[in-house]
Amino acid sequence: MRKRLVFLCPLLILLFSGCTQVEEEKRQAGVDVAIRSVNYNADRGVLFSLYDTSAAANGAIQAQPLNPLSLEGYYPVGGDNLLALSGGGINCCARLPEQWRPGLKYTVLWKAESGQINDPKVYRYMAELPRYERPEDLTVAFYPEHRAEFVIGSAMPGEAGWRGKEPSDPLTACMAKHEKKFCYMYLPHYENLADRQAESWRVQCREKLALKKAEINTEEKKQEFILFLQNQIQQAKIEKNSKWLREMEFEIKRENRPNRIGKSYCELWLMDCREDYDRIDSYDPVSNKKMCDINWRSPEFGE
């Protein structure tokens, strides 16, 4: 009996190693598909890493202490840094078998933060990929309340053929449930460049004035800035960039205007904005002169 076991053991070892090899070949065989992502959160961005956890963890792969989105036993197959209500880029690649089968599990780890939200928690979602007829792109969708979803298909949110739980694109979905002020929290509020710049100046100046940190323009700072602009002009001439050249020449002309020394930069912006001197060539002036008031806030978007 003991002799028979001696002969059986090598057979068992070969059998199990053969099974392991077959499983590994099955896992590696397949079609490479793109990894995409979309963020339905209006008030925060998302940083994520995606893992194929269909196979057993590899003990040789250690989690990285300085990377909270690393996963013990696995290398990431994709990841991205998403802005609020936006889609990410296209990453390569996830490998899917030509035919769906049970056990195709993926795991995503993510953090969701913004300038106003400090959330150190790492969120996790693990699920079996939805059934598919043929391999297509894998999209990771992030929803409010720290929910996520895996979607297989080539269509984008809002397009025909999109299979996500939320059929609309992120902005449309947000506007159906919230006020415009909330949905546009981190989106551009204006098409006009001058309007965008005015909003940025108002926000910055209110903060600086509240902290009494308004920086004052001096003759020394003026000359330093003009020297910088002159160097930029020389570079623009070398590169034959006429638009850049006009912008730098305009900046020097603006700096040499009278009565600018001793004023804060917020006061200078206010003066230029009201006089339409804050634009050149194709730049449009602000669409409403009220926007040149530091304390003005948009009734539509807030600030």
Side-chain angles (χ1 to χ4, degrees), residues 135-182:
E136 293 184 271
D137 294 347
L138 167 58
T139 299
V140 188
F142 298 93
Y143 300 111
E145 300 179 357
H146 311 298
R147 294 177 295 114
E149 178 187 23
F150 298 136
V151 182
I152 300 294
S154 300
M156 297 295 290
E159 297 178 349
W162 168 250
R163 303 186 182 106
K165 295 176 182 177
E166 173 53 65
S168 304
D169 64 88
L171 180 56
T172 302
C174 183
M175 291 292 290
K177 302 172 184 176
H178 302 281
E179 293 182 353
K180 189 173 185 179
K181 186 184 298 185
F182 175 79

Side-chain angles (χ1 to χ4, degrees), residues 34-41 46-52 77-80 82 86-89 91 94 106-110 123-127 129-130 136-143 147-153 155-157 162 164-165 170:
I35 298 172
R36 303 187 301 191
S37 50
V38 59
N39 181 17
Y40 280 86
N41 292 281
V46 168
L47 176 66
F48 77 93
S49 291
L50 179 67
Y51 298 86
D52 178 356
V77 296
D80 212 334
L82 304 176
S86 71
N91 295 306
Y106 274 68
T107 300
V108 61
L109 304 180
W110 77 96
Y123 297 92
R124 178 190 297 246
Y125 173 71
M126 181 179 71
L129 295 185
E136 293 184 271
D137 294 347
L138 167 58
T139 299
V140 188
F142 298 93
Y143 300 111
R147 294 177 295 114
E149 178 187 23
F150 298 136
V151 182
I152 300 294
M156 297 295 290
W162 168 250
K165 295 176 182 177

Side-chain angles (χ1 to χ4, degrees), residues 96 100-101 104-106 127-132 138 150 152:
L96 302 183
W100 180 91
R101 64 171 182 268
L104 293 177
K105 292 182 179 179
Y106 274 68
E128 192 173 77
L129 295 185
R131 290 178 178 270
Y132 56 81
L138 167 58
F150 298 136
I152 300 294

